[in-house]
Amino acid sequence: MRQARIVRNIGLGVENLLLHKLRSFLTMLGVVFGVGSVVAMLSVGEGASKHALEQIRKLGSNNIILTSMKSAEEEQASTTHSHMSMYGLTYEDHRRLSESFKNIKETAPAKVMRKDASLRERAMELRVVGATPAWFHLVPRELIAGRVILQGDQDKQSPVAVLTEFGARKLLATEGTIGQTLRIGGSQFEVIGIIQSESGQAGNIQIPDQDIDVYIPLEVSQRYFGDIFAKRTAGTDEREKVELHQIIVQVDDPKNAESVGAGIERMLGMFHKKKDYAVSVPLALLKQAEATKRTFNIVLGSIAGISLLVGGIGIMNIMLASVTERTREIGIRRALGAKRKQIIMQFLIETVVLSTTGGLIGLGIGILIPALIRYFSGMPTVITMNGVLLPLFVSMAIGIVFGIYPAMNAAQVDPIIALRHE
Amino acid sequence: MPTNGHEIVRLENAWKVYQMGTEDVKALRGVNIMFEKGDFWAIMGPSGSGKSTMMNVLGCLDRLSDGAYYLDGKDVSQLDDDALSELRLRYLGFIFQSFNLIPQLTVQRNIELPLYYLGWDAARSAERAKELAEQVGLGDRLSHRPTELSGGQMQRVAIARALTNDPQVIFADEPTGNLDSATGVQIMDILVKLNKLGKTIVMVTHEPDIAAYAHRRLHMIDGNIDRIEEGEHRTLTAPSAGHASPPDGSRRAETFVAPGEDVTHATRKA
Ligand SMILES: Nc1ncnc2c1ncn2[C@@H]1O[C@H](COP(=O)(O)OP(=O)(O)OP(=O)(O)O)[C@@H](O)[C@H]1O
Ligand SMILES: [Mg+2]
């Protein structure tokens, strides 16, 4: 009964607004654009940040990633001929890590080098990663065929190799390839498995694995290829000695990630004369990304607020004019027995219908635009429930907030004055 | 002033004073008057004598500055805006000189207006509007807009609207003021018939011809009662007068019977 009455009131409001189609449409344009832009921006922003957060999450929220890098001084020195630079994380660093921090659960040290590889007559350059079994725990990827490196391989120093799916495809390796021989830089390895890989960047940290990886036991890589790498670039014969290129550290609980990260930084600082390493805590990055997102949302919210405010003022302006124009109608209704609050309701419903319709149209536009962006540029966009409900709710609220004053004005119309002969 | 069971409106020492800057305009100066149920009154007098002011007070559109107003025996002079609206909605009907239809709304919607505020549902309202439009001879104009009607037709729509709530009193402020005399006569025929059916009618008019349809004529001057004329009044005009003018008054009269919505009203009439 009550519901039927509300529906009828809304129906009459719509009927009234349809009497002035163009005016009603122009009136709600502000809200249309306001809501449209908010929904679109939210969706694009949400898509971008979701992408970034996903990347960071791939690094693991209880992981800490230590990377060797040339210190600034070393960078300078290496321009001279026949210089051998020594830098980066050492086996000693790795040993100390596990001993010094009780919150560290597991560590995955790795040597990384580029080598030419060939499988039967196919050849390509691969990134050879000397890894321990822990690598496969800390960089968990789906196994496609065979197995990963196990402790036994490590102990026996077996020359085994795990290809990534991408590399395998390039080398025409299939399930049947397992057991065959892969030549890496003149040495022979037995292919024992094929694994999925990720690639890309998260924040400013490289994801640990790459498409062109091949994994061999760490000690095998040390024994076969040593710690010294020769790099021949533009006539200079440059050599560098790096023991470990990367150590991935996993802590027992994400809440310890940042403190352990800081501890590691302090510890490395004590034993390294130069800053030839980097410590990145994905969780910290994640927090930072989330903070950035919050800031973005606040900025977006302010822009949205302003545009909706402008839309609301537009509606209020027109409704005030409408009240003046309809003074006589209001007088008639009052004379026939309409109470003040019924006049208020009538005008309020009209404003809310107007602003909500504007909101709905805006929503349509706001969903369409990101869909087009996604279609044409492949940029990820996300429509969240909040991104839809909030603007709708806000546009409704605008109708109430900016409709109440004109409606009160309407209710103050004195029927006697309004009905005087013209 | 004597009271009896037939009284419908009564003013006791009614004052209406408008503040115009420093000056007080006394529109009503201690009026005492009583109208009985079923009466047909014409209020006459020179411009500015307070006719409209009195109508507005009687119609619960305005409040007295001083004195008391009894509507159907109840003192309504102290009621608030909402209560007065409620009285207008349930017990009173209005007909204006300038019709006061809402131009954007169809004839049907205009007639339905009071029902909307009475909370009737759409289907019942539409039925009632159709019935009333037929009674004033406009059954085929329901979906027209007022601007597509003649003055006489518009006033008939206004009468239909005034009847939707089956009012106890109909107030008409110069109902024929904007009409030519032939059309005016048609409107008066309808009012006379409504009066015959028991409706109390209070009408303001300048024209003695129109006032002649009333049973009693109240002459006002300077915000007070000058004199009251009783008796002699004109009855229905010749059948040829037009649409609403019936060939046989008694038969056509039943078209004005409103559905017995108001039980107290029905018993009161009996
Ligand atoms: N709102 C108002 N403010 C001030 N004075 C008013 C107001 N309404 C009416 N008056 C004054 O009250 C007096 C009576 O006015 P009223 O409208 O009742 O006259 P009337 O008899 O209906 O005249 P008319 O025949 O011209 O319609 C006039 O002097 C008028 O100027
Ligand atoms: Mg007047």
Side-chain angles (χ1 to χ4, degrees), chain A residues 416-417 420-421, chain B residues 18-20 25-27 45-54 173-174 204 206:
Chain A
I416 298 172
I417 295 169
R420 284 224 178 98
H421 317 301
Chain B
Y18 291 107
Q19 228 94 44
M20 292 292 284
V25 179
K26 300 183 179 70
S47 187
S49 57
K51 306 183 293 292
S52 294
T53 304
M54 187 155 105
D173 197 345
E174 310 218 23
V204 168
H206 276 117

PDB file of all heavy atoms in Angstrom, chain A residues 416-417 420-421, chain B residues 18-20 25-27 45-54 173-174 204 206, ligand 1:
ATOM      1  N   ILE A 416      -3.268  32.064  -0.983  1.00  0.00           N
ATOM      2  CA  ILE A 416      -4.087  33.258  -1.232  1.00  0.00           C
ATOM      3  C   ILE A 416      -3.393  34.179  -2.228  1.00  0.00           C
ATOM      4  O   ILE A 416      -3.993  34.662  -3.191  1.00  0.00           O
ATOM      5  CB  ILE A 416      -4.357  34.012   0.085  1.00  0.00           C
ATOM      6  CG1 ILE A 416      -5.135  33.108   1.028  1.00  0.00           C
ATOM      7  CG2 ILE A 416      -5.122  35.296  -0.188  1.00  0.00           C
ATOM      8  CD1 ILE A 416      -5.285  33.677   2.412  1.00  0.00           C
ATOM      9  N   ILE A 417      -2.092  34.392  -1.987  1.00  0.00           N
ATOM     10  CA  ILE A 417      -1.338  35.273  -2.882  1.00  0.00           C
ATOM     11  C   ILE A 417      -1.187  34.618  -4.253  1.00  0.00           C
ATOM     12  O   ILE A 417      -1.354  35.252  -5.295  1.00  0.00           O
ATOM     13  CB  ILE A 417       0.037  35.606  -2.262  1.00  0.00           C
ATOM     14  CG1 ILE A 417      -0.181  36.419  -0.989  1.00  0.00           C
ATOM     15  CG2 ILE A 417       0.907  36.368  -3.248  1.00  0.00           C
ATOM     16  CD1 ILE A 417       1.051  36.591  -0.139  1.00  0.00           C
ATOM     17  N   ARG A 420      -4.395  34.909  -6.479  1.00  0.00           N
ATOM     18  CA  ARG A 420      -4.985  36.201  -6.853  1.00  0.00           C
ATOM     19  C   ARG A 420      -5.126  36.266  -8.360  1.00  0.00           C
ATOM     20  O   ARG A 420      -4.307  35.749  -9.102  1.00  0.00           O
ATOM     21  CB  ARG A 420      -4.082  37.350  -6.389  1.00  0.00           C
ATOM     22  CG  ARG A 420      -4.192  37.581  -4.927  1.00  0.00           C
ATOM     23  CD  ARG A 420      -4.288  39.070  -4.617  1.00  0.00           C
ATOM     24  NE  ARG A 420      -4.431  39.220  -3.178  1.00  0.00           N
ATOM     25  CZ  ARG A 420      -3.411  39.502  -2.361  1.00  0.00           C
ATOM     26  NH1 ARG A 420      -2.229  39.733  -2.864  1.00  0.00           N
ATOM     27  NH2 ARG A 420      -3.603  39.580  -1.066  1.00  0.00           N
ATOM     28  N   HIS A 421      -6.170  36.917  -8.791  1.00  0.00           N
ATOM     29  CA  HIS A 421      -6.396  37.011 -10.238  1.00  0.00           C
ATOM     30  C   HIS A 421      -5.205  37.659 -10.908  1.00  0.00           C
ATOM     31  O   HIS A 421      -4.637  38.603 -10.393  1.00  0.00           O
ATOM     32  CB  HIS A 421      -7.652  37.850 -10.517  1.00  0.00           C
ATOM     33  CG  HIS A 421      -8.777  37.518  -9.602  1.00  0.00           C
ATOM     34  ND1 HIS A 421      -9.300  36.268  -9.539  1.00  0.00           N
ATOM     35  CD2 HIS A 421      -9.450  38.274  -8.713  1.00  0.00           C
ATOM     36  CE1 HIS A 421     -10.272  36.252  -8.625  1.00  0.00           C
ATOM     37  NE2 HIS A 421     -10.380  37.463  -8.099  1.00  0.00           N
TER      38      HIS A 421
ATOM     39  N   TYR B  18      -4.581  43.657   8.134  1.00  0.00           N
ATOM     40  CA  TYR B  18      -3.314  43.488   7.417  1.00  0.00           C
ATOM     41  C   TYR B  18      -2.386  44.613   7.812  1.00  0.00           C
ATOM     42  O   TYR B  18      -2.787  45.761   7.877  1.00  0.00           O
ATOM     43  CB  TYR B  18      -3.525  43.545   5.903  1.00  0.00           C
ATOM     44  CG  TYR B  18      -4.285  42.364   5.346  1.00  0.00           C
ATOM     45  CD1 TYR B  18      -5.599  42.515   4.921  1.00  0.00           C
ATOM     46  CD2 TYR B  18      -3.683  41.117   5.217  1.00  0.00           C
ATOM     47  CE1 TYR B  18      -6.296  41.447   4.393  1.00  0.00           C
ATOM     48  CE2 TYR B  18      -4.375  40.046   4.701  1.00  0.00           C
ATOM     49  CZ  TYR B  18      -5.684  40.209   4.277  1.00  0.00           C
ATOM     50  OH  TYR B  18      -6.363  39.158   3.765  1.00  0.00           O
ATOM     51  N   GLN B  19      -1.142  44.260   8.087  1.00  0.00           N
ATOM     52  CA  GLN B  19      -0.143  45.273   8.400  1.00  0.00           C
ATOM     53  C   GLN B  19       0.486  45.738   7.085  1.00  0.00           C
ATOM     54  O   GLN B  19       1.109  44.940   6.386  1.00  0.00           O
ATOM     55  CB  GLN B  19       0.953  44.662   9.286  1.00  0.00           C
ATOM     56  CG  GLN B  19       1.296  45.491  10.499  1.00  0.00           C
ATOM     57  CD  GLN B  19       0.506  45.039  11.718  1.00  0.00           C
ATOM     58  OE1 GLN B  19       0.378  43.859  11.981  1.00  0.00           O
ATOM     59  NE2 GLN B  19      -0.037  46.003  12.471  1.00  0.00           N
ATOM     60  N   MET B  20       0.268  47.002   6.756  1.00  0.00           N
ATOM     61  CA  MET B  20       0.905  47.521   5.537  1.00  0.00           C
ATOM     62  C   MET B  20       1.886  48.592   5.975  1.00  0.00           C
ATOM     63  O   MET B  20       1.522  49.761   6.072  1.00  0.00           O
ATOM     64  CB  MET B  20      -0.128  48.108   4.577  1.00  0.00           C
ATOM     65  CG  MET B  20      -1.050  47.073   3.960  1.00  0.00           C
ATOM     66  SD  MET B  20      -0.189  45.980   2.824  1.00  0.00           S
ATOM     67  CE  MET B  20      -0.021  47.062   1.410  1.00  0.00           C
ATOM     68  N   VAL B  25      -4.475  47.818   7.675  1.00  0.00           N
ATOM     69  CA  VAL B  25      -5.638  47.752   6.793  1.00  0.00           C
ATOM     70  C   VAL B  25      -6.632  46.788   7.427  1.00  0.00           C
ATOM     71  O   VAL B  25      -6.333  45.609   7.614  1.00  0.00           O
ATOM     72  CB  VAL B  25      -5.245  47.243   5.389  1.00  0.00           C
ATOM     73  CG1 VAL B  25      -6.482  47.157   4.496  1.00  0.00           C
ATOM     74  CG2 VAL B  25      -4.193  48.142   4.774  1.00  0.00           C
ATOM     75  N   LYS B  26      -7.767  47.312   7.795  1.00  0.00           N
ATOM     76  CA  LYS B  26      -8.768  46.462   8.458  1.00  0.00           C
ATOM     77  C   LYS B  26      -9.721  45.932   7.394  1.00  0.00           C
ATOM     78  O   LYS B  26     -10.627  46.626   6.942  1.00  0.00           O
ATOM     79  CB  LYS B  26      -9.526  47.261   9.514  1.00  0.00           C
ATOM     80  CG  LYS B  26      -8.601  47.813  10.600  1.00  0.00           C
ATOM     81  CD  LYS B  26      -9.392  48.541  11.673  1.00  0.00           C
ATOM     82  CE  LYS B  26      -8.493  49.078  12.771  1.00  0.00           C
ATOM     83  NZ  LYS B  26      -7.623  50.223  12.311  1.00  0.00           N
ATOM     84  N   ALA B  27      -9.485  44.704   6.954  1.00  0.00           N
ATOM     85  CA  ALA B  27     -10.286  44.115   5.879  1.00  0.00           C
ATOM     86  C   ALA B  27     -11.614  43.588   6.410  1.00  0.00           C
ATOM     87  O   ALA B  27     -12.626  43.626   5.719  1.00  0.00           O
ATOM     88  CB  ALA B  27      -9.500  43.001   5.198  1.00  0.00           C
ATOM     89  N   GLY B  45     -20.920  43.523  -2.789  1.00  0.00           N
ATOM     90  CA  GLY B  45     -20.352  44.724  -2.189  1.00  0.00           C
ATOM     91  C   GLY B  45     -19.298  45.332  -3.081  1.00  0.00           C
ATOM     92  O   GLY B  45     -18.787  44.671  -3.982  1.00  0.00           O
ATOM     93  N   PRO B  46     -18.946  46.579  -2.812  1.00  0.00           N
ATOM     94  CA  PRO B  46     -17.958  47.262  -3.654  1.00  0.00           C
ATOM     95  C   PRO B  46     -16.570  46.641  -3.516  1.00  0.00           C
ATOM     96  O   PRO B  46     -16.300  45.909  -2.572  1.00  0.00           O
ATOM     97  CB  PRO B  46     -17.974  48.697  -3.126  1.00  0.00           C
ATOM     98  CG  PRO B  46     -18.572  48.614  -1.777  1.00  0.00           C
ATOM     99  CD  PRO B  46     -19.488  47.443  -1.757  1.00  0.00           C
ATOM    100  N   SER B  47     -15.748  46.975  -4.473  1.00  0.00           N
ATOM    101  CA  SER B  47     -14.378  46.467  -4.452  1.00  0.00           C
ATOM    102  C   SER B  47     -13.666  46.928  -3.186  1.00  0.00           C
ATOM    103  O   SER B  47     -13.782  48.087  -2.789  1.00  0.00           O
ATOM    104  CB  SER B  47     -13.648  46.982  -5.690  1.00  0.00           C
ATOM    105  OG  SER B  47     -12.395  46.368  -5.769  1.00  0.00           O
ATOM    106  N   GLY B  48     -12.958  46.013  -2.551  1.00  0.00           N
ATOM    107  CA  GLY B  48     -12.224  46.351  -1.342  1.00  0.00           C
ATOM    108  C   GLY B  48     -13.062  46.284  -0.085  1.00  0.00           C
ATOM    109  O   GLY B  48     -12.584  46.611   0.997  1.00  0.00           O
ATOM    110  N   SER B  49     -14.285  45.818  -0.193  1.00  0.00           N
ATOM    111  CA  SER B  49     -15.141  45.783   0.993  1.00  0.00           C
ATOM    112  C   SER B  49     -14.867  44.554   1.872  1.00  0.00           C
ATOM    113  O   SER B  49     -15.438  44.435   2.947  1.00  0.00           O
ATOM    114  CB  SER B  49     -16.619  45.820   0.566  1.00  0.00           C
ATOM    115  OG  SER B  49     -16.897  44.743  -0.310  1.00  0.00           O
ATOM    116  N   GLY B  50     -14.021  43.653   1.397  1.00  0.00           N
ATOM    117  CA  GLY B  50     -13.642  42.519   2.257  1.00  0.00           C
ATOM    118  C   GLY B  50     -14.282  41.197   1.879  1.00  0.00           C
ATOM    119  O   GLY B  50     -14.218  40.229   2.640  1.00  0.00           O
ATOM    120  N   LYS B  51     -14.859  41.114   0.685  1.00  0.00           N
ATOM    121  CA  LYS B  51     -15.556  39.884   0.272  1.00  0.00           C
ATOM    122  C   LYS B  51     -14.572  38.703   0.161  1.00  0.00           C
ATOM    123  O   LYS B  51     -14.797  37.644   0.734  1.00  0.00           O
ATOM    124  CB  LYS B  51     -16.250  40.096  -1.087  1.00  0.00           C
ATOM    125  CG  LYS B  51     -17.181  41.281  -1.152  1.00  0.00           C
ATOM    126  CD  LYS B  51     -17.882  41.384  -2.476  1.00  0.00           C
ATOM    127  CE  LYS B  51     -16.934  41.707  -3.637  1.00  0.00           C
ATOM    128  NZ  LYS B  51     -16.354  43.070  -3.564  1.00  0.00           N
ATOM    129  N   SER B  52     -13.512  38.942  -0.598  1.00  0.00           N
ATOM    130  CA  SER B  52     -12.544  37.848  -0.786  1.00  0.00           C
ATOM    131  C   SER B  52     -11.895  37.482   0.538  1.00  0.00           C
ATOM    132  O   SER B  52     -11.653  36.308   0.822  1.00  0.00           O
ATOM    133  CB  SER B  52     -11.470  38.256  -1.788  1.00  0.00           C
ATOM    134  OG  SER B  52     -12.055  38.416  -3.053  1.00  0.00           O
ATOM    135  N   THR B  53     -11.605  38.481   1.339  1.00  0.00           N
ATOM    136  CA  THR B  53     -10.997  38.213   2.647  1.00  0.00           C
ATOM    137  C   THR B  53     -11.898  37.288   3.456  1.00  0.00           C
ATOM    138  O   THR B  53     -11.440  36.308   4.051  1.00  0.00           O
ATOM    139  CB  THR B  53     -10.776  39.537   3.397  1.00  0.00           C
ATOM    140  OG1 THR B  53      -9.985  40.387   2.577  1.00  0.00           O
ATOM    141  CG2 THR B  53     -10.094  39.308   4.722  1.00  0.00           C
ATOM    142  N   MET B  54     -13.192  37.576   3.458  1.00  0.00           N
ATOM    143  CA  MET B  54     -14.109  36.748   4.212  1.00  0.00           C
ATOM    144  C   MET B  54     -14.167  35.330   3.632  1.00  0.00           C
ATOM    145  O   MET B  54     -14.177  34.346   4.380  1.00  0.00           O
ATOM    146  CB  MET B  54     -15.506  37.367   4.212  1.00  0.00           C
ATOM    147  CG  MET B  54     -16.445  36.613   5.123  1.00  0.00           C
ATOM    148  SD  MET B  54     -17.774  37.644   5.712  1.00  0.00           S
ATOM    149  CE  MET B  54     -19.108  37.039   4.736  1.00  0.00           C
ATOM    150  N   ASP B 173     -15.578  32.151  -5.699  1.00  0.00           N
ATOM    151  CA  ASP B 173     -15.251  33.586  -5.739  1.00  0.00           C
ATOM    152  C   ASP B 173     -15.396  34.077  -7.169  1.00  0.00           C
ATOM    153  O   ASP B 173     -14.562  33.788  -8.010  1.00  0.00           O
ATOM    154  CB  ASP B 173     -13.827  33.809  -5.210  1.00  0.00           C
ATOM    155  CG  ASP B 173     -13.601  35.269  -4.833  1.00  0.00           C
ATOM    156  OD1 ASP B 173     -14.416  36.127  -5.249  1.00  0.00           O
ATOM    157  OD2 ASP B 173     -12.599  35.544  -4.131  1.00  0.00           O
ATOM    158  N   GLU B 174     -16.465  34.793  -7.426  1.00  0.00           N
ATOM    159  CA  GLU B 174     -16.783  35.286  -8.762  1.00  0.00           C
ATOM    160  C   GLU B 174     -16.662  34.199  -9.829  1.00  0.00           C
ATOM    161  O   GLU B 174     -15.880  34.332 -10.771  1.00  0.00           O
ATOM    162  CB  GLU B 174     -15.867  36.462  -9.121  1.00  0.00           C
ATOM    163  CG  GLU B 174     -15.854  37.499  -8.016  1.00  0.00           C
ATOM    164  CD  GLU B 174     -15.807  38.924  -8.522  1.00  0.00           C
ATOM    165  OE1 GLU B 174     -16.223  39.135  -9.676  1.00  0.00           O
ATOM    166  OE2 GLU B 174     -15.371  39.805  -7.780  1.00  0.00           O
ATOM    167  N   VAL B 204     -19.156  34.704  -4.121  1.00  0.00           N
ATOM    168  CA  VAL B 204     -18.937  36.145  -4.203  1.00  0.00           C
ATOM    169  C   VAL B 204     -19.252  36.571  -5.623  1.00  0.00           C
ATOM    170  O   VAL B 204     -18.862  35.887  -6.577  1.00  0.00           O
ATOM    171  CB  VAL B 204     -17.480  36.504  -3.869  1.00  0.00           C
ATOM    172  CG1 VAL B 204     -17.186  37.947  -4.242  1.00  0.00           C
ATOM    173  CG2 VAL B 204     -17.185  36.256  -2.398  1.00  0.00           C
ATOM    174  N   HIS B 206     -20.201  40.269  -8.225  1.00  0.00           N
ATOM    175  CA  HIS B 206     -20.519  41.689  -8.405  1.00  0.00           C
ATOM    176  C   HIS B 206     -21.838  41.855  -9.118  1.00  0.00           C
ATOM    177  O   HIS B 206     -22.458  42.909  -9.057  1.00  0.00           O
ATOM    178  CB  HIS B 206     -19.436  42.354  -9.282  1.00  0.00           C
ATOM    179  CG  HIS B 206     -18.248  42.775  -8.516  1.00  0.00           C
ATOM    180  ND1 HIS B 206     -16.996  42.239  -8.742  1.00  0.00           N
ATOM    181  CD2 HIS B 206     -18.094  43.675  -7.521  1.00  0.00           C
ATOM    182  CE1 HIS B 206     -16.136  42.797  -7.910  1.00  0.00           C
ATOM    183  NE2 HIS B 206     -16.786  43.682  -7.159  1.00  0.00           N
TER     184      HIS B 206
HETATM  185  N1  LIG C   1      -2.584  40.513   1.672  1.00  0.00           N
HETATM  186  C1  LIG C   1      -3.062  41.724   1.903  1.00  0.00           C
HETATM  187  N2  LIG C   1      -2.289  42.670   2.439  1.00  0.00           N
HETATM  188  C2  LIG C   1      -2.753  43.894   2.699  1.00  0.00           C
HETATM  189  N3  LIG C   1      -3.988  44.273   2.452  1.00  0.00           N
HETATM  190  C3  LIG C   1      -4.824  43.393   1.901  1.00  0.00           C
HETATM  191  C4  LIG C   1      -4.410  42.065   1.610  1.00  0.00           C
HETATM  192  N4  LIG C   1      -5.469  41.412   1.079  1.00  0.00           N
HETATM  193  C5  LIG C   1      -6.495  42.285   1.062  1.00  0.00           C
HETATM  194  N5  LIG C   1      -6.108  43.486   1.548  1.00  0.00           N
HETATM  195  C6  LIG C   1      -6.943  44.649   1.716  1.00  0.00           C
HETATM  196  O1  LIG C   1      -8.116  44.260   2.369  1.00  0.00           O
HETATM  197  C7  LIG C   1      -9.219  44.904   1.835  1.00  0.00           C
HETATM  198  C8  LIG C   1     -10.280  43.910   1.394  1.00  0.00           C
HETATM  199  O2  LIG C   1      -9.805  43.192   0.304  1.00  0.00           O
HETATM  200  P1  LIG C   1     -10.631  42.073  -0.424  1.00  0.00           P
HETATM  201  O3  LIG C   1      -9.737  41.416  -1.381  1.00  0.00           O
HETATM  202  O4  LIG C   1     -11.285  41.225   0.589  1.00  0.00           O
HETATM  203  O5  LIG C   1     -11.730  42.913  -1.198  1.00  0.00           O
HETATM  204  P2  LIG C   1     -12.872  42.401  -2.161  1.00  0.00           P
HETATM  205  O6  LIG C   1     -14.131  42.789  -1.502  1.00  0.00           O
HETATM  206  O7  LIG C   1     -12.690  40.978  -2.473  1.00  0.00           O
HETATM  207  O8  LIG C   1     -12.626  43.286  -3.435  1.00  0.00           O
HETATM  208  P3  LIG C   1     -12.791  42.906  -4.985  1.00  0.00           P
HETATM  209  O9  LIG C   1     -14.233  43.054  -5.257  1.00  0.00           O
HETATM  210  O10 LIG C   1     -12.003  43.947  -5.666  1.00  0.00           O
HETATM  211  O11 LIG C   1     -12.284  41.539  -5.169  1.00  0.00           O
HETATM  212  C9  LIG C   1      -8.714  45.786   0.694  1.00  0.00           C
HETATM  213  O12 LIG C   1      -8.561  47.084   1.170  1.00  0.00           O
HETATM  214  C10 LIG C   1      -7.379  45.185   0.370  1.00  0.00           C
HETATM  215  O13 LIG C   1      -6.510  46.173  -0.077  1.00  0.00           O
END
